[in-house]
Amino acid sequence: MKREKNNSITNQNSIGEKKIYSKSDRAITLIALIVTIIVLLILAGVTINSVVGKDGVIKKSKIAVNVYKNESDEEEKSIENLENVIDENVNETQEKYLKSGEYASNTDMYYDGTSLAVIPAGFTVSGMASENKISSGLVIYKGDLSKANWQTGKDASKNDIKRTYNQYVWIPSTEEEYKRTEWSVEQDHDSRASKDETELASVTPSDFDNGNGITKDTLNEIVNQISNEKNSVKKYGGFYIGRYEVGEGNVITQYKEPSASLKWSAAYTNAKNIDVGSASVSYLSSSYARDTALNFIQNNSEFKTYASTRDNGSNRADINENWQDKNVTYTDANGVSQTKAEGTQTRLPTGVTTAKCNIYDMGGNVAEFTTELNPTEGDSDATVVLHGGSYEGTDVWQTSPAGSRWDAGSGSVTDSRGFRATLFIQ
C-alpha cells in the first residue's frame, strides 16, 4: 500500500518525544515576531521622541537651563540692586550724623559704623583713629576743633590738642547696666567703706562732717545727682567720664599735675564747675559712674580684671600704673622716655601711663574722691570713701587696684588724693 507523504517536520523534545509543527503553526510564530518588532519600533520611537522631540527631555532640559540662567541673572541683578539700596541708606544714615573731627553746635549723634553716641553741644568728636571708636573709648574735646590737624594733634593755632582741651570718654550704658559693683571694701572697726548714694537722704552728718562741708543739703544734692544721672543714662544711652584725673587749674587735660591736697568738699564743688552748659553738666564722679566705667573697660579691652587686680588678667603682665611698689614707664612732656622705679613715691602728671579704653589712672597715681560717703556717728575718720590706690604708701589700700574702696576723714588732705569728673547730657 502506498503511504501518503506527511508534510510535517518532526522535532525531538527534551525527553525524546517528537513534536510536529504544522505550516499554520509556523505562520502564527512569524506573525508574532513581526508584531513584536513593530511594537518595539513603536516604543523606540516614543522613547526617542520623548528625548529629542519637540517636547522631549533634551528640549525641556535646554529650556530649564535657560530659565535657570535667566533666574540667576535676575537674582544677581536683585542682589546688586539690594546692595546699592543698602549703600545708599548707609550713606544717607551716615550723612545724618556727625563724623569724626566734627563739632557739635547742638547736641547731636555720632555713628562710628557700628554704634551710636550722643555728642553734647559745644564738643568735638575726636578725629584720631585711636579715639573715634565707641567700643574702645570714644573721646570728645571741649570746644570747636573742626579745623584741627588730627594727624599732628594740633589745633588751628598749633596748640597741642590733648594739653589744651578738656576731654571725656563716652561710656555706653543701659539703665540696667548703670550700677554699683563692689570688688574690695575696707572694713574698719564698725565702719564699712561703702554706701549707696541713694540712701544718703536718711543720714544726718556729724558736727565734724558739717564743719568740713558735708552738710544735710550736700547729701540731698548727691541723692538728686544720682537720680539725674540715671535719667540721663536712660534717655541717652550712656554718659561721659573724665579721660584723666582732674588737673591743677580744674582742667581735664594731659601733662597736668593732679589737683590734690584738697578736702572732699572742695573736690565736690570744683567738679561741678568744670563744664557747665545748657546741654550737659559735670559732676564729681559717683560710685555708679565709676563702677560702670570700670565694667566697660573690663568688657571692652584686654584688661579683664582691671578692677580687682593690678596685673593684666589675660597674661598677668604689669598694667603700668603708678603705685609705690611698681615700676612705671612713660614719656614725659618733652617726649623723653622715663621710668619711675619700684619703691619710689613719685606722683606723675596726668595721662602718661597706659590707657584703658582711652581712660587713664583709675587704678593708681592718686586715690579718687567720689560722691560715695558713709557718714557714721562717732567715726569722723571714715566718712569719705576713696576709690583706687595711689603712688604713696605701702599699705594694702594705698596699693589697691581700681575697684577698691577704702575710707578717710572728711577733713583729710594729702597730695595723694584727687578726683575725677563726669559729664551727663541734659
Side-chain angles (χ1 to χ4, degrees):
M1 183 176 176
K2 187 178 179 181
R3 298 180 63 184
E4 293 181 1
K5 187 177 179 181
N6 191 346
N7 292 322
S8 63
I9 300 174
T10 61
N11 211 4
Q12 187 83 26
N13 62 15
S14 60
I15 57 174
E17 295 180 349
K18 291 183 179 179
K19 189 171 185 178
I20 300 172
Y21 293 96
S22 66
K23 289 182 179 181
S24 60
D25 288 335
R26 285 184 291 163
I28 291 172
T29 301
L30 183 60
I31 291 170
L33 177 60
I34 293 170
V35 169
T36 300
I37 292 172
I38 291 171
V39 170
L40 290 174
L41 289 173
I42 292 171
L43 291 174
V46 170
T47 302
I48 292 170
N49 184 64
S50 68
V51 174
V52 300
K54 180 180 179 180
D55 296 318
V57 173
I58 294 176
K59 180 66 174 180
K60 289 182 178 179
S61 297
K62 290 181 178 179
I63 293 172
V65 169
N66 290 332
V67 169
Y68 174 79
K69 185 176 184 301
N70 291 335
E71 290 180 350
S72 179
D73 290 343
E74 289 297 323
E75 184 178 354
E76 187 174 340
K77 289 179 182 178
S78 298
I79 293 173
E80 185 177 344
N81 290 336
L82 180 60
E83 289 175 346
N84 291 335
V85 169
I86 292 172
D87 289 341
E88 289 173 3
N89 287 336
V90 169
N91 291 335
E92 183 179 350
T93 298
Q94 291 177 336
E95 286 297 325
K96 293 178 181 178
Y97 302 126
L98 290 173
K99 297 182 179 63
S100 60
E102 289 188 341
Y103 172 71
S105 54
N106 297 298
T107 297
D108 210 332
M109 301 289 289
Y110 169 72
Y111 179 64
D112 69 355
T114 302
S115 305
L116 289 168
V118 182
I119 311 301
F123 286 82
T124 300
V125 180
S126 176
M128 297 181 186
S130 61
E131 298 178 356
N132 61 20
K133 293 296 181 183
I134 292 170
S135 63
S136 55
L138 172 68
V139 181
I140 60 171
Y141 291 75
K142 179 64 180 291
D144 186 353
L145 292 173
S146 56
K147 295 182 179 179
N149 185 330
W150 294 99
Q151 283 68 44
T152 63
K154 305 290 185 180
D155 65 11
S157 301
K158 308 301 182 184
N159 296 310
D160 187 284
I161 293 170
K162 293 181 181 180
R163 304 187 195 193
T164 308
Y165 301 89
N166 285 348
Q167 297 147 63
Y168 296 89
V169 175
W170 173 250
I171 307 296
S173 175
T174 64
E175 185 179 10
E176 292 74 22
E177 291 169 340
Y178 191 70
K179 62 184 180 181
R180 290 161 45 87
T181 305
E182 289 188 356
W183 286 279
S184 58
V185 179
E186 181 185 20
Q187 181 74 39
D188 187 13
H189 304 297
D190 294 329
S191 174
R192 187 170 183 272
S194 176
K195 192 172 188 66
D196 190 324
E197 287 99 319
T198 60
E199 300 173 1
L200 290 175
S202 61
V203 174
T204 299
S206 66
D207 290 341
F208 182 83
D209 289 339
N210 262 298
N212 284 293
I214 299 177
T215 66
K216 185 66 176 176
D217 287 343
T218 302
L219 300 182
N220 288 332
E221 282 181 5
I222 292 172
V223 174
N224 289 332
Q225 174 183 324
I226 302 302
S227 177
N228 292 337
E229 289 180 2
K230 290 182 175 181
N231 289 335
S232 179
V233 168
K234 181 179 180 180
K235 183 175 181 179
Y236 297 108
F239 65 98
Y240 288 92
I241 193 164
R243 188 179 194 182
Y244 315 109
E245 301 154 331
V246 175
E248 290 182 354
N250 219 30
V251 296
I252 309 173
T253 57
Q254 192 180 36
Y255 289 116
K256 293 289 185 181
E257 285 298 318
S259 179
S261 299
L262 74 173
K263 295 181 182 179
W264 176 92
S265 57
Y268 176 71
T269 300
N270 290 350
K272 293 190 294 182
N273 293 322
I274 292 176
D275 282 308
V276 180
S278 58
S280 56
V281 58
S282 61
Y283 294 122
L284 175 64
S285 176
S286 66
S287 65
Y288 282 84
R290 182 182 173 90
D291 292 348
T292 302
L294 288 175
N295 280 315
F296 172 77
I297 290 171
Q298 294 188 143
N299 292 333
N300 292 276
S301 73
E302 64 178 306
F303 302 99
K304 303 300 183 185
T305 60
Y306 180 55
S308 58
T309 70
R310 297 189 302 160
D311 298 310
N312 185 349
S314 64
N315 59 18
R316 312 307 298 171
D318 184 38
I319 62 176
N320 199 45
E321 286 201 25
N322 187 19
W323 289 280
Q324 186 269 348
D325 60 339
K326 293 282 189 179
N327 284 323
V328 184
T329 58
Y330 65 98
T331 302
D332 67 20
N334 297 314
V336 179
S337 295
Q338 301 285 357
T339 298
K340 190 230 75 168
E342 175 184 347
T344 59
Q345 299 185 142
T346 303
R347 193 177 67 187
L348 297 178
T350 58
V352 299
T353 58
T354 298
K356 287 79 183 173
C357 291
N358 283 318
I359 304 169
Y360 290 82
D361 294 315
M362 292 188 76
N365 210 34
V366 295
E368 297 179 12
F369 295 126
T370 68
T371 57
E372 186 172 13
L373 300 172
N374 188 24
T376 304
E377 186 176 350
D379 190 354
S380 297
D381 291 331
T383 297
V384 173
V385 177
L386 290 158
H387 289 249
S390 74
Y391 76 90
E392 184 181 59
T394 58
D395 70 35
V396 65
W397 297 109
Q398 289 169 312
T399 57
S400 60
S404 63
R405 286 169 159 85
W406 49 295
D407 55 35
S410 57
S412 174
V413 175
T414 77
D415 62 4
S416 61
R417 298 172 187 169
F419 65 104
R420 189 178 301 267
T422 53
L423 188 75
F424 285 80
I425 303 161
Q426 300 188 109

